[in-house]
């Protein structure tokens, strides 16, 4: 962490600002990885389904949503 991470100085919690010397990290990762060649039996199939919705009802639900933990409108 001390060698590769620069934290933001202007935040109240440890927030990563940027990474340095990432080439060394990539070389170390590549040195421990094992190349495993295999043939995949399955074929991935992705399908996008576009649906319509009532925008006014959606906005009404977001404005008047029910909080189940306090049993009141939030």
């Amino acid at each position: 962490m001390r060698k590769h991470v620069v934290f933001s100085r202007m935040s109240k919690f440890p927030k990563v600002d940027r990474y340095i010397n990432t080439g060394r990290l990539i070389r170390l990762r590549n040195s421990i990885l094992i190349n495993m060649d295999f043939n995949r039996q399955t074929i991935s199939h992705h399908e996008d389904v576009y649906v319509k919705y009532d925008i006014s009802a959606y906005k009404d639900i977001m404005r008047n949503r029910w909080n189940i933990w306090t049993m009141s409108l939030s």
Side-chain angles (χ1 to χ4, degrees):
M1 292 291 285
R2 287 179 277 145
K3 292 183 180 181
H4 300 286
V5 177
V6 176
F7 291 101
S8 177
R9 293 184 291 164
M10 300 298 175
S11 67
K12 296 180 181 180
F13 57 92
K15 184 171 77 169
V16 175
D17 189 30
R18 66 182 188 274
Y19 297 97
I20 55 174
N21 200 9
T22 55
R24 180 173 186 269
L25 293 173
I26 292 170
R27 279 195 317 274
L28 289 172
R29 182 192 65 190
N30 290 338
S31 69
I32 63 171
L33 289 179
I34 298 171
N35 187 16
M36 297 181 68
D37 293 329
F38 62 95
N39 293 328
R40 188 175 299 268
Q41 300 296 324
T42 60
I43 299 171
S44 62
H45 177 71
H46 300 280
E47 184 175 338
D48 294 331
V49 178
Y50 296 100
V51 297
K52 294 183 180 181
Y53 63 96
D54 187 6
I55 296 173
S56 61
Y58 182 77
K59 287 183 180 180
D60 186 47
I61 290 169
M62 290 305 293
R63 276 193 300 268
N64 301 322
R65 61 185 168 187
W66 183 264
N67 188 349
I68 61 168
W69 306 113
T70 61
M71 296 301 175
S72 64
L73 295 174
S74 58

